[in-house]
């Protein structure tokens, strides 16, 4: 009698964290959070645009060491949902279309070399770098577009208070103004705002409206005192 032996493939563990801090400085963390939040808001009505940051991306099935964690990335053509990690083979082999890394003293050489080469190898269409302190990257905001497997610099656009670099993938500008990086919608001429900034803008607009209504009320009362019906004006 023969015995049939069945080989069981062991489960492979793909860690969701390396136990390290999200960012090594306040500036890096703040821009990471800003980028993820504003781009998530900007693409909130698009069901197949996924925005995330500091999330493990596994790009080789069966090899948990083949992993990278961009500070900020956007993928077009995948479901907008919460993920604990991003495995390209579970996403129809879609890799990020856009990546932004926030550089620092300890990461600038890696982001200029190893990671830049990896993103080109994976086929990331646009790769941006930003140095909040302007100490390690000159100029502190740089963008690259993938052309035939190589990254070519995206030309800068001079602005009144700095310069901008256009992301064709996002349809947005990354602007450096007075040392601060912000996303701009060139079609609307508007800066992308966080939830807190949107709420502040709403409150300011509401206050302006109330002030205008109070002004009109006082004017109407004064006209009545003069015997003029404000409704006839």
């Amino acid at each position: 009698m023969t015995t049939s032996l069945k080989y069981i493939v062991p489960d492979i563990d793909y860690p969701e964290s390396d136990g390290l801090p999200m960012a090594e400085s306040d500036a890096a963390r703040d821009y990471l959070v800003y980028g993820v939040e504003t781009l998530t808001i900007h693409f909130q009505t698009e069901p197949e645009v996924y925005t995330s940051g500091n999330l493990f991306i596994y790009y080789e099935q069966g090899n948990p060491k083949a992993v990278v964690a961009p500070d900020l990335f956007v993928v077009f053509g995948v479901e907008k949902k919460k993920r604990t990690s991003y495995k390209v083979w579970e996403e129809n082999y879609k890799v990020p279309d856009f990546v932004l890394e926030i550089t620092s003293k300890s990461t600038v050489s890696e982001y200029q070399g190893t990671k830049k080469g990896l993103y080109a190898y994976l086929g990331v269409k646009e790769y941006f770098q930003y140095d909040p302190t302007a100490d390690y990257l000159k100029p502190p905001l740089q963008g690259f577009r993938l052309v035939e497997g190589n990254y070519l610099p995206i030309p800068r656009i001079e602005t009144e208070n700095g310069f901008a670099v256009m992301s064709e993938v996002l349809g947005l500008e990354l602007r450096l103004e007075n040392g601060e990086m912000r996303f701009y919608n060139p079609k609307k001429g508007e800066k992308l705002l966080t939830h807190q900034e949107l709420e502040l803008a709403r409150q300011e607009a509401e206050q302006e409206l109330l002030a205008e209504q109070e002004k009109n009320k006082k004017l109407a009362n004064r006209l009545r005192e003069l015997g003029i019906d404000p409704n006839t004006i």
Side-chain angles (χ1 to χ4, degrees), residues 33-46:
V33 173
Y34 163 79
V36 173
E37 185 174 344
T38 55
L39 291 183
T40 298
I41 294 171
H42 180 70
F43 291 115
Q44 62 185 334
T45 61
E46 303 290 336

Side-chain angles (χ1 to χ4, degrees), residues 123-176:
V124 176
K125 295 176 183 178
E126 290 182 345
Y127 175 45
F128 278 72
Q129 299 174 61
Y130 173 54
D131 173 12
T133 64
D135 292 330
Y136 314 109
L137 199 61
K138 307 295 182 183
L141 174 62
Q142 300 179 15
F144 302 88
R145 189 166 293 124
L146 195 64
V147 180
E148 297 181 353
N150 296 305
Y151 280 125
L152 300 182
I154 301 173
R156 289 182 292 167
I157 305 168
E158 297 301 321
T159 63
E160 184 177 352
N161 299 314
F163 66 88
V165 184
M166 182 68 193
S167 168
E168 292 182 355
V169 167
L170 302 180
L172 299 171
E173 290 179 350
L174 282 76
R175 289 192 185 184
L176 191 68

Side-chain angles (χ1 to χ4, degrees), residues 198-212:
L198 286 168
E199 176 60 21
L200 181 60
R202 185 195 66 78
Q203 292 177 5
E204 289 177 348
E206 186 177 77
Q207 290 174 358
E208 290 177 0
L209 177 60
L210 290 174
E212 184 66 22

